[in-house]
Amino acid sequence: MSEPALVLNKIVVAFGALKAVDDISLTVKGGERRAVIGPNGAGKTTLFNAITGVRPPTSGRITFEGKEVTGKPAQIRARMGMSRTFQITNLFPTMTVDENMQLALRGTGRGKFSMLGSIRLTSEEHDRVSSALQMSRLGERGAVAVNELSYGEQRQLEMAMALVSNPRLLLLDEPAAGLSPAERHMVADIIRSLPHDLTMVLIEHDMELVLNLVDKVTCLNNGQMLAEGSPEDISNNQLVQDVYLGKARADA
Amino acid sequence: MMRSATALALRSPLSFLALLAVIFGLLPLLVSSYQTSVANEILIFALLAMSIDVLAGYAGRTSLGHGAIFGISTYVVIYWTTLMGGSPWVGCILGIAAATLTAAVFALLAVRVSGVYFLLLTLALGMIVWGVCLRWTSVTGGENGIRGAGRPDVIADPIAFYYMTLATVLFFTLVIWRFVHSPFGLTLRGIRDSESRMRSLGYGTATHMFLAFTITGLFAGVAGALYALFNDFVSPSTVQLAQSVEGLLMAIIGGVGTLFGSFIGAAAIILLENFVSQYTARWPMVLGLMFICTMIFAPQGVLGALRKLMGWKQ
Ligand SMILES: Nc1ncnc2c1ncn2[C@@H]1O[C@H](COP(=O)(O)OP(=O)(O)O)[C@@H](O)[C@H]1O
Ligand SMILES: [Mg+2]
């Protein structure tokens, strides 16, 4: 717990003249659960892309478990223990749930280069897959084709795939986006029941959902840090309330 | 009965290989020696089509460069045996190595692109090979090509050579089947479906594409070496674009992503080519029409359509 899991130092991500992420610095401790909230277009997903290596930052430094990763490609960061889900569902649609899980499982190991070997899982691998599916409440759906899953189940599979590699940092990008209230409730339950030594950063548009799930909240607006603090601090913060009621722009 | 037998053959590679071994194995006893040589050609081109299908059907990358990779192997085998006086067996190994190496160079350039860019890039690379073979007259004989030195004694007899081809192609069919159904093969399908997800899961997608492309080059090289022994002659037409296009069309007509469909596609195109050329010189037009008909009536190819019709699983 002594060493921070993730340190962002003055991160800027620019698209031409637009600074989608504008000078963000933050520190996530090992085992911490952090929420990143903010209105649509605040730069939350862009910040995730910088953290995970999908789009390296324009400037700034990213340190993961004491090692600088700023310029490292996404697959190297994944092998170091970062794992993420996507806001816009990003699965392998022509395959079954099991095949999706196999790819998720083998990405960080060496078995993926086996060219003449069997695709069957070892019993240890099989256990990891079923426990990740169980955690995501997808237990019995292994043989189903992904394009036959409901939207909600696809969101659950996103989570199961991110969990199966036993990551040390889990980044969830709006896991409950587009779900019904009942399904959102289940997603909250899933997140609550994840192992507690797993460091987690959770993006969520909806403040209510996250406030009782996390230790600390970061609120972004227009790419900038608006506020950071405990869930209570944030829910009582005037600036944050203004943003969520759409008043911030007038002040800025 | 017939249906379920075919269905079984598609699910298990061994029963399909047995089916192929029986059909192609008995053929020389039933047909003329000319028809046997046509069957021989079908087997060779089925292997080329399968090498293309690995990329097109599993990795989702349509290559127009594999005809050139195939033809480089043919050139090397014939150059080695005729102009260097070397052993044909060593020639085959050198030919396959040259094809694999060429594929590795193509792969270095092509791994980062997909879709139509991949198609155009592989097309351009293939055209370069063709241009070199045409212009580098001192080595390739230019437009006149090079005549081979004949086959070694053991396979001098066309029937003996036919069975050697059959054994080689069946062996590589099994290898390719294992390859696409291996953990590595699954990563190719993953790259086709979502490259960004693959990277986020820890896969270096460029490395995977590089390996896949290079290995399919080896398969095409084996076909090219067999073709050298079969045809005993090589010229720029062996590496030209039409070769790549025909290989691709064989895979498409048989059914992209079915692997075994390549045998159906190769048979359809080569039989038709032999038949049509008795009546007209407009073979490319007939080929084009055949392609259009496939796209309209069976866009997933013959085997793909059968699979859908009977509800077989992949
Ligand atoms: N690839 C891109 N090119 C140009 N602009 C982008 C790109 N991705 C995001 N943006 C812009 O960056 C801003 C932040 O987007 P995003 O990070 O998706 O916000 P959030 O996830 O908080 O809703 C938006 O204004 C968006 O239009
Ligand atoms: Mg977003």
Side-chain angles (χ1 to χ4, degrees):
Chain A
M1 296 282 145
S2 53
E3 190 176 51
L6 180 69
V7 180
L8 304 186
N9 192 354
K10 296 181 182 304
I11 296 298
V12 175
V13 182
F15 298 110
L18 171 76
K19 283 185 177 170
V21 172
D22 190 358
D23 197 28
I24 297 293
S25 299
L26 58 82
T27 300
V28 181
K29 286 185 291 188
E32 181 183 328
R33 297 185 167 198
R34 169 73 60 102
V36 177
I37 64 169
N40 264 326
K44 306 182 293 295
T45 297
T46 307
L47 185 67
F48 259 31
N49 288 344
I51 296 172
T52 55
V54 171
R55 176 181 288 274
T58 314
S59 65
R61 260 172 69 105
I62 303 167
T63 313
F64 174 52
E65 295 185 332
K67 297 180 206 74
E68 165 146 18
V69 297
T70 314
K72 291 221 159 59
Q75 64 269 22
I76 301 292
R77 300 188 205 199
R79 287 176 221 157
M80 291 171 76
M82 275 192 200
S83 186
R84 72 171 291 180
T85 66
F86 290 81
Q87 178 179 1
I88 298 167
T89 307
N90 189 353
L91 304 168
F92 305 114
T94 67
M95 304 184 199
T96 63
V97 170
D98 278 340
E99 286 168 331
N100 273 259
M101 292 300 287
Q102 268 182 37
L103 282 172
L105 177 77
R106 294 203 170 116
T108 49
R110 260 177 289 127
K112 60 191 171 187
F113 287 115
S114 162
M115 290 186 181
L116 296 174
S118 163
I119 203 145
R120 299 255 308 271
L121 298 177
T122 65
S123 68
E124 188 258 335
E125 289 173 328
H126 182 82
D127 291 346
R128 277 171 62 190
V129 167
S130 24
S131 107
L133 285 175
Q134 221 72 54
M135 257 191 258
S136 315
R137 319 276 204 271
L138 266 179
E140 305 302 313
R141 303 287 277 160
V144 179
V146 162
N147 55 21
E148 284 166 21
L149 294 179
S150 71
Y151 177 72
E153 288 173 321
Q154 292 188 0
R155 300 303 297 168
Q156 286 164 258
L157 181 56
E158 279 273 338
M159 304 253 290
M161 286 171 74
L163 287 169
V164 75
S165 58
N166 293 337
R168 285 195 308 283
L169 172 62
L170 178 66
L171 300 134
L172 302 174
D173 193 348
E174 300 206 25
L179 298 183
S180 69
E183 289 170 324
R184 296 173 72 81
H185 199 75
M186 179 171 73
V187 168
D189 277 346
I190 293 173
I191 293 172
R192 207 171 285 118
S193 63
L194 293 178
H196 268 276
D197 51 353
L198 175 61
T199 313
M200 187 172 82
V201 182
L202 166 66
I203 291 182
E204 186 46 64
H205 178 65
D206 174 0
M207 211 164 35
E208 295 305 310
L209 187 85
V210 296
L211 290 181
N212 58 18
L213 285 177
V214 298
D215 309 313
K216 201 168 171 186
V217 180
T218 299
C219 181
L220 301 186
N221 187 35
N222 290 327
Q224 293 172 335
M225 175 83 75
L226 188 72
E228 189 171 271
S230 69
E232 301 84 66
D233 292 347
I234 292 297
S235 54
N236 297 324
N237 185 304
Q238 192 57 45
L239 281 172
V240 174
Q241 283 179 9
D242 288 348
V243 161
Y244 270 80
L245 296 171
K247 288 185 196 156
R249 226 165 279 268
D251 302 342
Chain B
M1 190 56 207
M2 185 59 201
R3 279 185 172 204
S4 58
T6 335
L8 190 71
L10 279 171
R11 277 195 213 123
S12 138
L14 287 179
S15 43
F16 184 83
L17 287 176
L19 193 72
L20 275 182
V22 171
I23 294 173
F24 280 94
L26 292 178
L27 219 52
L29 309 177
L30 307 172
V31 302
S32 72
S33 61
Y34 168 70
Q35 287 160 330
T36 303
S37 91
V38 173
N40 201 331
E41 198 176 349
I42 289 172
L43 288 170
I44 293 170
F45 279 89
L47 182 54
L48 172 64
M50 279 189 284
S51 77
I52 295 171
D53 192 25
V54 171
L55 290 181
Y58 296 85
R61 304 285 196 280
T62 311
S63 166
L64 281 177
H66 274 59
I69 294 168
F70 165 99
I72 282 187
S73 174
T74 312
Y75 261 107
V76 168
V77 175
I78 293 199
Y79 184 85
W80 176 257
T81 50
T82 305
L83 298 168
M84 310 280 290
S87 138
W89 306 115
V90 176
C92 285
I93 291 168
L94 292 177
I96 295 165
T100 311
L101 204 68
T102 310
V105 174
F106 282 21
L108 279 180
L109 300 163
V111 286
R112 279 170 209 286
V113 293
S114 58
V116 74
Y117 300 101
F118 185 88
L119 186 113
L120 291 175
L121 187 60
T122 51
L123 182 150
L125 291 167
M127 295 297 278
I128 292 173
V129 170
W130 173 77
V132 168
C133 290
L134 190 66
R135 299 281 168 209
W136 197 10
T137 322
S138 58
V139 171
T140 64
E143 242 173 309
N144 297 326
I146 322 172
R147 188 149 296 288
R151 285 194 293 268
D153 287 344
V154 247
I155 50 165
D157 172 38
I159 300 290
F161 176 60
Y162 174 83
Y163 282 113
M164 189 200 97
T165 305
L166 179 59
T168 311
V169 170
L170 289 184
F171 172 74
F172 277 98
T173 306
L174 184 62
V175 169
I176 297 174
W177 195 90
R178 291 293 305 170
F179 178 74
V180 297
H181 290 90
S182 68
F184 184 81
L186 189 64
T187 69
L188 301 182
R189 291 172 57 203
I191 291 169
R192 174 192 64 195
D193 275 14
S194 171
E195 214 171 329
S196 63
R197 168 61 91 168
M198 285 298 277
R199 282 198 214 99
S200 292
L201 290 174
Y203 294 95
T205 53
T207 309
H208 285 247
M209 282 309 301
F210 173 81
L211 289 172
F213 197 112
T214 305
I215 287 164
T216 61
L218 185 148
F219 300 144
V222 172
L226 287 171
Y227 188 69
L229 297 174
F230 172 79
N231 204 40
D232 211 29
F233 172 70
V234 67
S235 73
S237 69
T238 309
V239 293
Q240 73 186 352
L241 177 61
Q243 191 83 283
S244 295
V245 172
E246 273 194 28
L248 179 61
L249 286 184
M250 288 169 184
I252 291 175
I253 287 170
V256 161
T258 63
L259 216 55
F260 300 145
S262 292
F263 285 89
I264 297 174
I269 287 186
I270 289 172
L271 289 176
L272 198 69
E273 185 171 12
N274 275 282
F275 177 74
V276 167
S277 56
Q278 295 171 357
Y279 302 99
T280 164
R282 299 195 180 174
W283 165 239
M285 209 177 85
V286 176
L287 195 62
L289 275 176
M290 193 167 160
F291 178 62
I292 291 168
C293 289
T294 309
M295 287 293 105
I296 293 173
F297 297 110
Q300 294 139 313
V302 175
L303 214 54
L306 270 177
R307 199 173 255 172
K308 200 171 175 188
L309 207 66
M310 314 222 174
W312 298 332
K313 275 194 64 180
Q314 197 160 339

